[in-house]
Every structure is written in structure tokens, then in C-alpha cells.
Amino acid sequence: MSLSQITRGDESEFFVKGRVDGPVANQLEVEVLAAIRTPVRRIYINLAEANFLCSAGIRVLLQYHRKMKAEGRELLVSRTSPEIDQILELTGFRDTLVEKI
Amino acid sequence: MEFTLPNDAQLPPASAERLAEFGRDHALDPRVMFALDHALNEHLQNVVDHSTARTAFLELQVRDGAVHVTVTDDGDTFDPLAAPPADVAADPDSRPVGGLGVHMMRKLTDQLLYRRTAAGNQLRMVKKLG
């Protein structure tokens, strides 16, 4: 797994590669929380190169999606791999979490 | 394939490695492996996070046109399938996120069976081949 972040203006995008299992979900939560404490308006989680997403990872995405939305800001999944798309679809959170282009 | 691992943070990743090895040895379809990898991870993370077990014993078998993954943990009685199913039709903006792991296990396998045995909690996941 690798996790990197690019911030441009008031947007921040995280690029997650490989397996998003329990420990990676915890790491992602720490990084997302740090980003939320900055003035960014939009946070994107790019999962185009992720191939595994556990329920803990989905909980992180959903929890901070809801928190950002309540503050008038946005946290969305910007891109998905086919594997991640399948997992989000079967949990019923795909339409909520994935950015509509 | 059979193996016993201690119930600690390494249980899910160590089991995933063994499952991948089993899949390679049996040339299993990547879609079957993808589903079992997720389902097994969800169950074992629950064992790590919530059970009193000291060890988990795993059996991986291909028989009768399906992969059978059986996990026996020596913790106190706990039936993960007794939890109410997640309501995926509810409003996604307010729906509780609890129960997501078991929901994923149900959707990704063809059969889930729980029973309490003398050895502990036994959960069997069955995924059909093809």
C-alpha cells in the first residue's frame, strides 16, 4: 500500500494504492483528519489504483464524507478501480461517495 | 490447507497471504479469490477487534465445485450472523454503518454457516467456483 497527497489551492487529493485493510484504514483516517483541520474545501480520495477495500475503510470514507458535508465542505472518492467500484456498489454507498463526473 | 495463528493484529494479513498461496496452488479464479479475500478479512478483523479468542484455526478446501473456508476461534460464544442485516435501501446519508462487514461477507459468498463447537466458534464460508 502507498498513500500520497497533493494539495492545490483549497483542494486536497489522496492517492491510495494497493490494499485498504484495517491498518491502512486507520492510517487514512489520520491523514484525512489532518487535512480536515486545514482550510481545504474539498478532499478527494483517489482509489484508481486500490484493489481491496475493507469495511473499516468504507466507514472512514463515510464518516468524514458526512462530517465535511455538515460543514458545507466535500469529501468524495474521485476515482475507483473496478474492484473498489464493486465493493462500494455492494455496500450501497457508491452513489453517495463517488464523485459524479 | 490448514493452519493456526495467534489472535493478534497480524491474523488478517497473515491469513490473506496463506489464502493467496492457496489460490495460486489451486489456480482459482481471481473473482473467487477477490470475494474470499474480502470476506475472510472482515471476519478475522472482527475476531481481532471483538473476540476473546487466543488463536484461530483455518481450513481451506476445494471440494464439490466450491471453495470452503472454515475459521474456528477459541473465544467465547459469538455468532456474527445473528446481527440484523444492514439496510442498504435506507438513506445512505444517515444510514448506520454498523454491520457493514457482515453484509459484505453475505454478499461476497454463496453460503455462510455458523456453529458453536467444542473447539469454539466456527464460521464456514462457501464460494462456488465459476
Side-chain angles (χ1 to χ4, degrees), chain A residues 19 55 62 66 69 90-91, chain B residues 37 42 92-93 95 97 103:
Chain A
R19 290 177 74 88
S55 62
L62 199 59
R66 288 172 176 173
K69 189 175 180 182
L90 72 83
T91 59
Chain B
D37 190 14
E42 291 301 330
D93 279 332
R95 168 185 146 197
V97 292
H103 172 74

Side-chain angles (χ1 to χ4, degrees), chain A residues 19 51-55 58-59 62 65-66 69 83 86-87 90-91 93 96, chain B residues 16 34 37-38 41-42 45 88 92-95 97 100-101 103-104 107-108:
Chain A
R19 290 177 74 88
N51 55 20
F52 184 99
L53 180 61
C54 70
S55 62
I58 297 171
R59 275 193 290 273
L62 199 59
H65 165 82
R66 288 172 176 173
K69 189 175 180 182
E83 296 91 342
Q86 181 188 343
I87 293 298
L90 72 83
T91 59
F93 288 119
T96 300
Chain B
F34 176 77
D37 190 14
H38 276 82
N41 179 80
E42 291 301 330
Q45 195 62 55
V88 294
D93 279 332
S94 57
R95 168 185 146 197
V97 292
L100 203 52
H103 172 74
M104 288 169 65
K107 297 292 282 187
L108 289 164

Side-chain angles (χ1 to χ4, degrees), chain A residues 13-96:
Chain A
E13 186 165 13
F14 289 91
F15 296 82
V16 188
K17 298 181 182 179
R19 290 177 74 88
V20 184
D21 57 11
V24 174
N26 292 340
Q27 187 185 346
L28 180 63
E29 180 170 22
V30 169
E31 301 287 340
V32 166
L33 262 175
I36 285 176
R37 293 192 185 105
T38 70
V40 294
R41 304 294 306 165
R42 284 173 290 279
I43 295 175
Y44 295 113
I45 313 293
N46 188 318
L47 298 174
E49 294 187 62
N51 55 20
F52 184 99
L53 180 61
C54 70
S55 62
I58 297 171
R59 275 193 290 273
V60 169
L61 297 174
L62 199 59
Q63 180 178 347
Y64 295 106
H65 165 82
R66 288 172 176 173
K67 178 177 171 58
M68 290 284 280
K69 189 175 180 182
E71 296 172 1
R73 301 193 287 169
E74 218 173 41
L75 182 148
L76 291 169
V77 174
S78 54
R79 289 187 61 199
T80 58
S81 64
E83 296 91 342
I84 299 303
D85 210 54
Q86 181 188 343
I87 293 298
L88 289 175
E89 180 68 32
L90 72 83
T91 59
F93 288 119
R94 183 182 178 282
D95 289 346
T96 300

